[in-house]
Amino acid sequence: MRKRGQINIVLKKQTEEDPLLSHQESDMLEKPEHMAYKQVQQELDEFIGLSTIKQFMKEIYAWIYLNQKRQEEGLIAGKQVFHMVFKGNPGTGKTTVARLIAKLFRDMGVLEKGHLIEAERADLVGEYIGHTAQKTRELVKKAIGGILFVDEAYSLARGGEKDFGKEAIDTLVKAMEDQQHSFVLILAGYPKEMDRFLKLNPGLPSRFPMKVTFPNYTIDELTKMARKMVKERDYQLDSRAEATLQDILKITKDKDEEHFSNGRFIRNLLERSIRNQAVRLLEEGKYKKEDLMTLKGIDLSHAYFDTDVKMD
């Protein structure tokens, strides 16, 4: 929906009935002049899920490309501000997409360098009056020509009016105005926390023309992700392990869907499962290739239920 010049984008599942979300590209986009877009698309294809992010990336690319064509024809070329808010749980692809946007903007001449500077509260907030503004300005300076990606951005407002985080917000807002076309600022974090954060400053939402919501992965997508991760490590899940994995995912998502860590949860669970498999095989004295490759349901169960190690 478009409201007051803002674009709110919710990444949802592609349906066969929705032609706008089709991944089939026309012959036109296969031309060499569209290589910047194709390279980004190919990188996205390497990831499980993120299906409709292609449509988002295509819209950005199309706007930039057509604006360049308008300029060539002597028409007025708009000057889009690309500051964004990414709302989503950990492991939903926010940082990955930010890197791809930086690459696309570099290749399209929107940003000079196309690098990504990742930051959090500690990188912005100082310990005394004036220190925060200095740290924030230095970080913005490093991000010139690229993207400044601030994760858990809502933490900048957690201390109230007297907290130095407010000074960081004010400094970022000023930089967005003074150097709005020199760098892109992306604020990211949990959906509800980011919504509350944006409401704290009435002028803040309007400074971010694009707000993108990243949904949690489905259990099927997370299972595919797990298969891919174990295959890359020369492991495999037996049928019982897959069933156990799906049970674990259902339990975890039902317990706290709002803060589920998606891909990060899968990676941590599998790494713990591999260590449990190593202990099991050592005690069983089984070292054949099939044994060494196979993760069983019991390995995943022990990894999830019999440990004090935080999975997120």
Side-chain angles (χ1 to χ4, degrees):
M1 297 178 65
R2 189 180 299 270
K3 183 179 180 182
R4 295 183 182 177
Q6 300 176 41
I7 301 172
N8 285 282
I9 303 164
V10 178
L11 305 182
K12 56 184 180 180
K13 300 300 168 202
Q14 177 183 356
T15 61
E16 294 180 359
E17 292 77 13
D18 191 345
L20 290 178
L21 299 181
S22 173
H23 287 180
Q24 294 181 353
E25 304 297 338
S26 68
D27 292 340
M28 195 63 67
L29 288 175
E30 298 296 331
K31 292 185 176 182
E33 62 192 277
H34 299 298
M35 184 57 65
Y37 169 71
K38 294 299 292 182
Q39 287 178 344
V40 167
Q41 183 194 47
Q42 287 168 6
E43 288 195 44
L44 279 172
D45 284 341
E46 296 296 317
F47 295 90
I48 301 296
L50 296 180
S51 57
T52 55
I53 192 64
K54 285 187 175 181
Q55 183 67 17
F56 172 55
M57 298 297 284
K58 187 189 291 184
E59 289 172 4
I60 292 177
Y61 173 77
W63 187 90
I64 296 170
Y65 183 80
L66 269 295
N67 222 35
Q68 291 173 350
K69 290 299 181 185
R70 287 177 59 87
Q71 197 168 16
E72 291 173 8
E73 294 296 329
L75 298 171
I76 295 175
K79 200 71 173 177
Q80 174 75 51
V81 175
F82 288 107
H83 301 307
M84 307 177 191
V85 171
F86 283 3
K87 297 186 289 185
N89 287 347
T92 50
K94 299 188 298 297
T95 306
T96 295
V97 172
R99 290 196 185 102
L100 291 176
I101 290 174
K103 180 178 180 179
L104 178 65
F105 283 2
R106 180 199 64 204
D107 293 345
M108 295 298 293
V110 175
L111 293 173
E112 184 180 354
K113 299 177 181 177
H115 61 299
L116 183 75
I117 301 291
E118 296 183 51
E120 54 187 19
R121 178 185 165 91
D123 300 308
L124 297 161
V125 179
E127 300 175 357
Y128 50 84
I129 295 174
H131 188 209
T132 294
Q134 179 186 344
K135 288 184 71 174
T136 303
R137 282 194 295 265
E138 288 175 354
L139 206 56
V140 169
K141 187 177 180 180
K142 291 179 182 178
I144 293 298
I147 290 179
L148 176 56
F149 181 85
V150 182
D151 202 9
E152 298 184 1
Y154 51 82
S155 66
L156 294 173
R158 69 185 180 195
E161 286 292 322
K162 296 183 179 180
D163 183 72
F164 290 139
K166 184 178 183 299
E167 188 179 357
I169 297 171
D170 293 341
T171 306
L172 285 173
V173 168
K174 187 175 188 309
M176 290 167 66
E177 288 298 311
D178 295 345
Q179 300 162 296
Q180 59 182 268
H181 300 298
S182 299
F183 81 108
V184 170
L185 176 64
I186 298 179
L187 302 185
Y190 291 113
K192 288 187 177 179
E193 283 83 344
M194 289 304 295
D195 287 339
R196 285 195 291 267
F197 168 70
L198 291 173
K199 289 177 182 177
L200 292 175
N201 186 328
L204 204 54
S206 62
R207 299 179 190 277
F208 294 91
M210 298 180 185
K211 298 179 179 66
V212 186
T213 300
F214 291 70
N216 283 330
Y217 286 97
T218 66
I219 289 177
D220 284 344
E221 287 173 336
L222 290 166
T223 303
K224 290 178 183 177
M225 191 181 297
R227 290 194 202 111
K228 182 180 179 184
M229 286 184 184
V230 297
K231 185 177 180 181
E232 290 171 347
R233 293 166 172 78
D234 266 345
Y235 287 90
Q236 62 188 12
L237 299 171
D238 68 9
S239 58
R240 184 58 203 154
E242 281 210 12
T244 301
L245 172 62
Q246 293 183 347
D247 289 341
I248 289 171
L249 289 170
K250 188 175 188 308
I251 291 170
T252 308
K253 285 167 72 71
D254 287 347
K255 186 187 302 182
D256 192 7
E257 176 80 18
E258 288 186 8
H259 297 95
F260 180 62
S261 62
N262 294 276
R264 187 182 302 174
F265 177 87
I266 291 293
R267 183 180 64 250
N268 291 342
L269 177 65
L270 291 177
E271 288 177 353
R272 178 74 180 175
S273 300
I274 288 171
R275 295 198 296 273
N276 274 276
Q277 182 235 34
V279 172
R280 175 176 60 80
L281 293 180
L282 182 67
E283 292 175 346
E284 293 174 355
K286 295 181 178 179
Y287 313 119
K288 291 183 179 180
K289 183 177 180 179
E290 187 73 15
D291 296 318
L292 295 171
M293 289 181 63
T294 304
L295 293 176
K296 296 186 174 182
I298 193 171
D299 300 321
L300 273 72
S301 294
H302 283 314
Y304 183 73
F305 294 106
D306 299 342
T307 178
D308 293 327
V309 177
K310 185 173 174 59
M311 296 307 305
D312 292 346

